[in-house]
Amino acid sequence: MAALRDKAALVRESLQKSQTITESMVSILGSFDHRLSSLETAMRPTQIRTHSIRRAHENIDKTLKAAEAILGRFDLTRKAEAKILRGPHEDLESYLEAIDQLRSNLQYFTTHKCFKSTSGIITHANNLLTKAISKLEDEFRNLLTNYSKVVEPDRLFDGLPDSLRPSATSPGKRNDSKKDSDNQKNSENAVYTPPTLIPPRVLPLLHNLAQQMVQAGHQQQLFRIYRDTRASVLEQSLRKLGVERLSKDDVQKMQWEVLEAKIGNWIHYMRIAVKLLFAGEKKICDQILAGIDSLRDQCYAEITANSVSVLLSFGEAIAKSKRSPEKLFVLLDMYEIMRELQSEIDYLFGTKSCTEMRESAQSLTKRLAQTAQETFGDFEEAVAKDATKTAVLDGTVHPLTSYVINYVKFLFDYKTTLEQLFQEFEESDTEAQLKTLTTRIMDALQTNLDGKSKQYKDPALTQLFLMNNMHYIVRSVRRSEAKDLLGDDWVQIHRRIVQQHANQYKRISWAKVLQCVTIQGVAPTGGGGILGGDSGSGISRAMVKDRFKNFNAQFEDLHMRQCQWNVPDSELRESLRLAVAEVLLPAYRSFHKRFGPMAESGKSPCKYIKYKPEDLERMLSEFFEGKTCVEQKR
């Protein structure tokens, strides 16, 4: 217990000491807290000053940076101004960069209007930009004008395929035999090379200038400069080529030969204008005004509007002029070129701005088709009603016949074009339509020729005339494409008609002559007489002489007249002579052999027996040569 009490006393003593030490430490720490509070109070002003200084430094740095940026903008503006004042002519690319820089600076100051001098800077920059764009306009105008040259005709001809150049085909004259289907196909697939209207190296510069003008809001100025410059050059190029504005009255006053040449030229000009000039114009317009679609389309439309109008107005004047048969083929030529160019026209004038020109071209195509179709009808009627009083005195082929046949042959050269034309108005068998038209024209011709044949007083010449003309028709059809359309039956029927007229001619011309040398009727009825060699049969020498005399007179009359008649086809002429000889010569030989001695035994035998069979054969070979009386006497 005692030991335990001693230990307890030690613990108590230790606790007292620990408490004393703790109280001392608390006192010391309390003193520190008081001192720290005093120190903090003393340091607070210094801290505040330090923070202010730091913020001031930060503000100074920001201000310096802002000032540096502003000064940089001022410096860039000053440099841009210097370039702009020098103008774009020396270095266009650098000038355009200066404008871009000026715009950038203007945007910067517009978004930093807190600066006192901002409004003045903005006003100065705007004024400078206005001057810059004005100089750009002048530069654009000068560049476009200097490099926009009138295209000489020779340069245009160089862009045509070889087959269409003037050296190969003289413009203004239509060939008598039109191009065949192979040539048409070659023409459609031919390569055209539009001329270089503006050097390629200049196009990017013009494009950049145009873009700058648009950005500055100067679209209308750009539009006017581009339109006026290019439209004038295009119109001058066409005038140099030979294009002229002609009204309907001008067309009506022209002689046909002059008008036909102008139509041929117009076809040539249309091809050059569409495939070369308009195509070239669209190409440079698309490049210079790329990205400015509405302005580009409007520019192209107005540049080409007047030129298109001049070209189409001539076509309209022809289509509306007084119809006549000879105009059909030039109408078909014009319709054909419009059809050929239709796809190019639709492409070149495919935008909304070009709607009027596109529709005008389509309207002209339909108008030409309609006029051609009406001219067809007029031609058929003209053939039926042709009242030409000029008779062919020698019975040869009438000019109307050769005219109509040549007309029909030309129609078949235009077969493909005609089929397209028929389809303009109705969907039907175009070949059947062409056959019907051709048959009606042929029928009208035959009817008219029948009427003209009645002008002849000599019925034999009537038949010869009809034979000649029908033979010419049949031969021409057989040698042309018309045969395939009209068919073999038509040819055979009309060949029989030719033969019928030949037979009628022989009957009418030679019936009386043959009666003079026909043995029947000379011998007395019921007796052998001369036929039996009985000279005492009662047949008088006077009767025989009279027969020879009448034969001579009639044959001489036929020879005199029918040597003046004409059978122009050599084969038909020989065939007709042979047909007459085959009937006449055997009859004359027989008559001459049997009764010649009776006439020769009297006085003046040569008066009655003038011709030997050989003489008649020689004289028959002179028939149908179309000789005049003077030539016969010679």
Side-chain angles (χ1 to χ4, degrees), residues 208-227:
N208 290 337
L209 288 169
Q211 290 280 25
Q212 292 287 355
M213 290 172 69
V214 170
Q215 287 179 35
H218 288 220
Q219 291 95 328
Q220 287 307 308
Q221 292 91 323
L222 171 63
F223 170 75
R224 282 195 298 272
I225 293 169
Y226 192 88
R227 177 199 62 192

Side-chain angles (χ1 to χ4, degrees), residues 33-47:
D33 185 51
H34 177 72
R35 288 178 182 177
L36 284 171
S37 178
S38 298
L39 181 62
E40 184 179 342
T41 301
M43 288 293 292
R44 187 172 289 116
T46 303
Q47 289 175 341

Side-chain angles (χ1 to χ4, degrees), residues 168-186:
T169 303
S170 178
K173 292 190 178 181
R174 192 165 49 85
N175 294 334
D176 286 340
S177 79
K178 203 170 178 300
K179 56 185 178 290
D180 56 27
S181 59
D182 289 338
N183 285 339
Q184 283 184 338
K185 189 179 293 185
N186 291 337

Side-chain angles (χ1 to χ4, degrees), residues 208-248:
N208 290 337
L209 288 169
Q211 290 280 25
Q212 292 287 355
M213 290 172 69
V214 170
Q215 287 179 35
H218 288 220
Q219 291 95 328
Q220 287 307 308
Q221 292 91 323
L222 171 63
F223 170 75
R224 282 195 298 272
I225 293 169
Y226 192 88
R227 177 199 62 192
D228 294 347
T229 304
R230 291 305 310 164
S232 173
V233 171
L234 176 61
E235 289 163 22
Q236 289 180 63
S237 297
L238 285 172
R239 278 198 297 273
K240 267 209 162 185
L241 184 64
V243 175
E244 54 185 332
R245 185 182 287 277
L246 294 172
S247 67
K248 182 181 174 183

Side-chain angles (χ1 to χ4, degrees), residues 218-506:
H218 288 220
Q219 291 95 328
Q220 287 307 308
Q221 292 91 323
L222 171 63
F223 170 75
R224 282 195 298 272
I225 293 169
Y226 192 88
R227 177 199 62 192
D228 294 347
T229 304
R230 291 305 310 164
S232 173
V233 171
L234 176 61
E235 289 163 22
Q236 289 180 63
S237 297
L238 285 172
R239 278 198 297 273
K240 267 209 162 185
L241 184 64
V243 175
E244 54 185 332
R245 185 182 287 277
L246 294 172
S247 67
K248 182 181 174 183
D249 290 339
D250 295 329
V251 167
Q252 293 285 35
K253 292 173 185 176
M254 285 183 188
Q255 295 292 326
W256 169 241
E257 292 77 10
V258 176
L259 184 59
E260 186 179 26
K262 286 192 178 293
I263 291 170
N265 284 333
W266 179 84
I267 291 167
H268 201 56
Y269 299 156
M270 278 297 297
R271 189 179 279 114
I272 288 174
V274 172
K275 289 182 176 284
L276 300 181
L277 282 174
F278 295 158
E281 203 64 55
K282 181 171 178 59
K283 184 178 179 181
I284 63 168
C285 192
D286 287 348
Q287 289 178 279
I288 294 172
L289 302 179
I292 321 169
D293 295 351
S294 59
L295 188 65
R296 179 196 63 201
D297 295 341
Q298 188 183 2
C299 267
Y300 179 73
E302 297 214 15
I303 286 165
T304 54
N306 190 56
S307 296
V308 170
S309 173
V310 170
L311 286 164
L312 296 185
S313 65
F314 178 79
E316 288 287 346
I318 297 296
K320 293 177 181 178
S321 63
K322 185 178 178 181
R323 298 194 302 270
S324 60
E326 66 269 13
K327 283 185 183 176
L328 177 61
F329 299 108
V330 294
L331 287 168
L332 292 175
D333 285 336
M334 294 171 75
Y335 171 76
E336 192 174 80
I337 191 63
M338 291 303 296
R339 288 274 306 188
E340 179 188 324
L341 298 175
Q342 193 64 59
S343 59
E344 280 93 349
I345 290 172
D346 289 344
Y347 164 70
L348 294 172
F349 303 101
T351 63
K352 187 177 179 180
S353 301
C354 297
T355 300
E356 185 177 348
M357 287 177 280
R358 187 173 65 253
E359 290 179 349
S360 294
Q362 293 168 352
S363 173
L364 174 58
T365 305
K366 287 192 174 293
R367 167 75 74 168
L368 290 167
Q370 181 182 355
T371 306
Q373 192 175 53
E374 290 169 355
T375 305
F376 247 132
D378 293 346
F379 179 67
E380 180 191 341
E381 185 178 349
V383 171
K385 295 183 177 179
D386 178 75
T388 307
K389 296 298 183 183
T390 306
V392 284
L393 301 177
D394 57 3
T396 189
V397 176
H398 197 279
L400 176 67
T401 304
S402 56
Y403 176 72
V404 171
I405 292 301
N406 286 334
Y407 203 91
V408 171
K409 285 164 71 176
F410 266 130
L411 287 181
F412 283 91
D413 286 333
Y414 287 87
K415 186 177 179 183
T416 303
T417 305
L418 287 168
E419 289 174 351
Q420 293 172 341
L421 185 146
F422 294 147
Q423 288 174 352
E424 291 277 354
F425 304 100
E426 58 179 306
E427 291 289 337
S428 61
D429 186 346
T430 54
E431 189 165 295
Q433 281 185 278
L434 186 57
K435 179 177 180 178
T436 300
L437 279 169
T438 306
T439 303
R440 281 163 45 184
I441 290 171
M442 293 296 194
D443 290 345
L445 175 60
Q446 286 179 244
T447 302
N448 190 286
L449 290 171
D450 286 339
K452 283 181 166 46
S453 70
K454 293 177 172 59
Q455 297 175 5
Y456 298 107
K457 294 180 180 179
D458 189 331
L461 186 55
T462 295
Q463 297 302 320
L464 192 80
F465 170 78
L466 292 172
M467 178 198 71
N468 275 330
N469 283 270
M470 190 56 60
H471 179 268
Y472 181 84
I473 293 170
V474 173
R475 185 191 63 179
S476 299
V477 167
R478 287 178 62 195
R479 295 178 178 179
S480 72
E481 291 183 57
K483 181 188 175 186
D484 296 332
L485 193 71
L486 295 175
D488 288 332
D489 288 345
W490 187 94
V491 172
Q492 293 304 322
I493 288 169
H494 288 79
R495 285 182 72 180
R496 285 197 292 272
I497 293 174
V498 174
Q499 190 59 50
Q500 288 168 9
H501 288 305
N503 292 338
Q504 284 289 79
Y505 155 78
K506 288 189 294 181

Side-chain angles (χ1 to χ4, degrees), residues 81 89 107 201 318 372 420 507 563 584:
E81 182 176 6
H89 194 65
Q107 185 178 7
R201 63 183 175 79
I318 297 296
Q420 293 172 341
R507 183 185 62 78
C563 282
L584 179 65

